Amino acid sequence: MSGSAANPFRQPKAVFAVAFACVVSFMGIGLVDPILPAISHQLHASPSEVTLLFTSYLVVTAVAMLITNWVSSRIGAKRTLIAGLIIIVVFSALAGASPSIGGIIGFRAGWGVGNALFIATSLAVIVASASGGFAGAIVLYETALGLGIAVGPLLGGLLGEVSWRGPFFGVSVLMAIALIATVVLVQPLPRPARKTGLSEPLRALRHRGLLTMSLTALCYNWGFFTVLGYAPFPMNLSPIKLGLVFTGWGALVAIFAVFGAPRLQARLGIARAMYLNLAAFAAVILVIAVWTTDRAVLIPAVIASGVFIGINNTITTQAVMTISPVERPVASAAYSFVRFIGGGLAPYAAGRLVVALNIHVPFFIAAGVVAAGIVILTTAHRLLAAAERAQAEQVSPGHGTGRPAERVVPIPAVPGSASGETHGILVAAVDDSPVAGLVADAAARLAARANRAVHVVHATEAAVGGDVAADGEALDSARSLVGRYVDQVAAHRVPAEGQILLHAADHGAAGRMVAEYANGVGATTIVIGAPTHGGLPVLMDESTSRELMRTATSNVLIINPAAPQAPVRQFSTATE
């Protein structure tokens, strides 16, 4: 909000240890794709048997997601993470050493338990351990996600050229390195104040909106894993060539998950973006269904599907977190349980359908299932629209705008020493970046000139990275942050008060919420900081700033710490 985040790549070693493990974990999505035909040939297994490598892994992951919060709330996030890593190391090595397809399938199931424990806690551990700011932690997690998805198939293809066992042993070795680094470097994290019940994720699915979004995700994942799990067979390529195909696919997944999805969501809104994206994804699968045996069409279509998979991974998770009335980790576990069931069953069903009918049928059915997901989504359209409006509706400190009290946390006002009655309000939008102090100082000096009060405003964001969600910024940390800048403004003898705006779904939503707050209190000016870093951080900052300026009806003053003069010296009465 105040613009730049602290550099997300200047983090403690503990954060990089977990981020490295995240890269290896996300590699697992496409790692085995290049070796599926080789396993089928060398172990004399049918394609439908080989697809059980996906089914056992994902179905067990789905069921295990129901217990992850129960486990982590009792033994702590670090121990849960370590337990997941140990299971992955052991079972991936056992899968590589297995002499039979049945053994590999069974060991992949055990791997799925470790995967569930890891993905449920990795984001939370990174956020809790990071010193590069809350937004910076999300940047680092999304970077790991993108790198893992893009590199996984390439590594699988390279190792698969040596032996189909190579990718399994490769994961085991890399995860063992990550395990040692995590044990040594990551500090124990405090356990949650409340222990999560075993049945909470299933009870959460009683909420119609969450259940509908989860069923939509199940349909989407059916299409996703039909393509991922069975498309390698008709391509009839070597492991390295399959690796290159799915590296192109993975690169598009990563790029559009991180960059494309937020822009599409900001332009169209969550519901319309989902309708459009699911329809486009169904159309691509339909192309794959018609031209399954034509590699000149099949390969580009599979690669292109990464665009829609990446967008959907991010937007659907945002939709789930927006519509859900329960704690984010519980909602994430419930949603993941349902969607992984669809992803796990689809590849095996594809293999059986090919045997019973022909190679085109699974893809025709997958396109139809994705289209059915659109129909299911329409049944929750009003709920989703209402939840989305709640992110952008007016936010005020209780001056009659009707904003629910639980969405705004006030910080006690400091009167300052301005003589006489103040004439209007300035809003200083701050975050945990270094430039926030300049924003508060500039707002105070400007308010002192115009005899105005300053409202220091901070929007807390959800911890959502890719298709995983965790608890967001702690309320105590947000209180401390805003209180510090309220005191800084008051030191200029300017009346000041603070407001924390809760539960922004993403960076764009944070910008909209600040703008609507300013609109609600009639602020004349919003003071924010300029993005100062390149790459992912600047794009995230720009998402916040873009939505703020699009929604605000007041002036917006951007403080650039790299300007040749101190920002406060550049003010003129024309600003007001």
Side-chain angles (χ1 to χ4, degrees), residues 298-321:
L298 174 63
I299 291 173
V302 168
I303 294 173
S305 71
V307 172
F308 311 106
I309 289 169
I311 290 173
N312 204 80
N313 282 348
T314 297
I315 293 183
T316 303
T317 306
Q318 294 288 3
V320 169
M321 295 307 116

Side-chain angles (χ1 to χ4, degrees), residues 32-33 106 376 390 416 526 533 575:
V32 299
D33 258 38
I376 293 172
I526 304 172
H533 293 296
T575 308

Side-chain angles (χ1 to χ4, degrees), residues 332-418:
S332 183
Y335 158 68
S336 294
F337 164 68
V338 176
R339 70 186 176 96
F340 280 139
I341 290 291
L345 295 179
Y348 180 70
R352 302 306 301 172
L353 287 167
V354 169
V355 172
L357 299 167
N358 63 62
I359 201 166
H360 300 274
V361 171
F363 298 104
F364 278 116
I365 291 177
V369 172
V370 174
I374 299 175
V375 176
I376 293 172
L377 181 62
T378 62
T379 65
H381 183 85
R382 290 184 180 178
L383 286 173
L384 186 57
E388 191 172 12
R389 281 196 302 272
Q391 294 292 343
E393 68 183 358
Q394 286 191 350
V395 187
S396 82
H399 296 317
T401 62
R403 183 69 173 180
E406 67 272 14
R407 302 286 296 182
V408 180
V409 178
I411 303 298
V414 179
S417 303

Side-chain angles (χ1 to χ4, degrees), residues 2-4 431-440 485 528-530 532 559-561:
S2 66
S4 73
D431 60 10
D432 57 356
S433 68
V435 77
L438 296 177
V439 168
Y485 291 121
I528 63 171
T532 58
I559 304 302
N560 183 3

Side-chain angles (χ1 to χ4, degrees), residues 30 47 77 81 100 107 160 220 265 322 327 330 357 391 432 509 523 525:
L81 193 69
S100 67
F107 294 132
Y220 149 74
Q265 180 179 324
T322 299
E327 296 173 2
V330 173
L357 299 167
Q391 294 292 343
D432 57 356
T525 303

Side-chain angles (χ1 to χ4, degrees), residues 29-30 33 36 54 223-232 246 249 347 363:
I29 296 175
D33 258 38
L36 293 178
F54 281 105
F224 175 2
F225 283 97
T226 297
V227 173
L228 191 65
Y230 208 84
F246 282 96
W249 166 87
F363 298 104

